[in-house]
Amino acid sequence: MAVLEAKNISYKYGKGDMVIKNLNLSFEAGRVYALLGASGSGKTTLLSLLAGLDCCVDGSILYNGSDLKTMNRDRYRAKNIGMVFQQFNLLHRFNAVENVVMAMDISKYKVENGKKYAADLLDNLGIDEKKRRRKVIELSGGEQQRVAIARAISHKPKIILADEPTGSLDEINQSGIIEDLVKFAKKDGSCVIISTHSREVAESADEVFTIERL
């Protein structure tokens, strides 16, 4: 059964041309999907709609059968969505553990020891104790993206949306980041949706949806 569905959705910015038109997609738990397309094809816009950051002008997006238009989208996003961005979007004044703990606070995800939980999560992603104590601005690009993944998965969301997560990384870090996302999907049974222009990244997915520019 699909955890997330886009049913005949269309979207445009203001009075401009359609960015997405009559699109139908279905996403299941425990699988990795790639949205493959060139810049300007609407991949990021589609992820924003799936995250409930905006509403489609036509059609419906369903989460477990419920239309996002009828839901509290802030609560939906806080509880069920983890976001990974190309430019990381970390809080640079804080260290890796603090970034993860703050994300858990926002989602109201409770564990007995939040700092230890965050540290263990980061350790599993290759961020050791020394690096965890540094401000994230002092980490490499690959390390910052791993912190971003830890933040995104910290509250065990049902869906991970990753917008060009390897776009700022070299090939070695690109491979590692995609492996981490695939591992999370298989281990925790979450749905991972990755937007990318890279066919190499797309090959790691269980299913690839090609997004064409209108």
Side-chain angles (χ1 to χ4, degrees):
M1 178 181 174
V3 65
L4 194 62
E5 294 177 273
K7 289 199 165 185
N8 203 36
I9 64 170
S10 297
Y11 183 84
K12 64 179 178 179
Y13 293 107
K15 297 181 180 179
D17 294 332
M18 286 288 182
V19 181
I20 297 170
K21 187 174 182 179
N22 301 332
L23 186 64
N24 290 279
L25 299 173
S26 181
F27 306 96
E28 297 180 1
R31 290 176 62 81
V32 178
Y33 297 87
L35 306 177
L36 179 64
S39 177
S41 60
K43 304 186 304 296
T44 297
T45 299
L46 176 57
L47 289 185
S48 296
L49 296 173
L50 295 176
L53 291 167
D54 205 347
C55 289
C56 46
V57 295
D58 288 307
S60 300
I61 294 176
L62 307 180
Y63 172 70
N64 285 335
S66 296
D67 194 329
L68 293 192
K69 291 177 181 176
T70 68
M71 298 170 63
N72 182 319
R73 298 200 308 277
D74 290 335
R75 186 177 301 136
Y76 156 77
R77 194 163 48 253
K79 294 291 185 183
N80 303 299
I81 302 295
M83 299 287 294
V84 181
F85 304 92
Q86 179 177 350
Q87 299 301 330
F88 320 135
N89 287 20
L90 299 171
L91 298 174
H92 290 167
R93 293 191 297 113
F94 300 94
N95 65 31
V97 170
E98 290 166 339
N99 267 268
V100 175
V101 169
M102 281 187 279
M104 293 163 58
D105 290 342
I106 291 170
S107 65
K108 295 182 170 57
Y109 185 74
K110 302 297 183 184
V111 294
E112 186 173 343
N113 187 329
K115 287 186 177 180
K116 183 180 185 305
Y117 174 86
D120 289 345
L121 198 57
L122 288 160
D123 190 59
N124 288 335
L125 287 165
I127 306 298
D128 62 27
E129 183 179 1
K130 184 177 179 180
K131 292 173 181 175
R132 292 196 295 271
R133 292 200 300 264
R134 295 179 186 169
K135 291 182 179 180
V136 292
I137 193 65
E138 299 172 3
L139 301 177
S140 71
E143 290 163 349
Q144 289 189 53
Q145 194 60 294
R146 285 182 168 83
V147 175
I149 290 174
R151 179 187 60 183
I153 68 176
S154 62
H155 57 294
K156 297 188 182 298
K158 301 297 184 185
I159 300 163
I160 294 287
L161 302 176
D163 188 14
E164 295 278 6
T166 63
S168 300
L169 305 179
D170 57 38
E171 288 185 10
I172 294 175
N173 279 304
Q174 170 180 291
S175 177
I177 292 300
I178 296 303
E179 287 176 7
D180 288 335
L181 290 170
V182 171
K183 180 171 65 176
F184 175 70
K186 303 307 179 185
K187 177 177 178 289
D188 285 8
S190 295
C191 173
V192 174
I193 305 170
I194 303 168
S195 79
T196 184
H197 62 271
S198 167
R199 293 192 177 277
E200 184 178 353
V201 169
E203 287 174 359
S204 300
D206 296 308
E207 190 167 356
V208 179
F209 296 126
T210 300
I211 309 297
E212 302 284 356
R213 187 171 185 169
L214 297 180

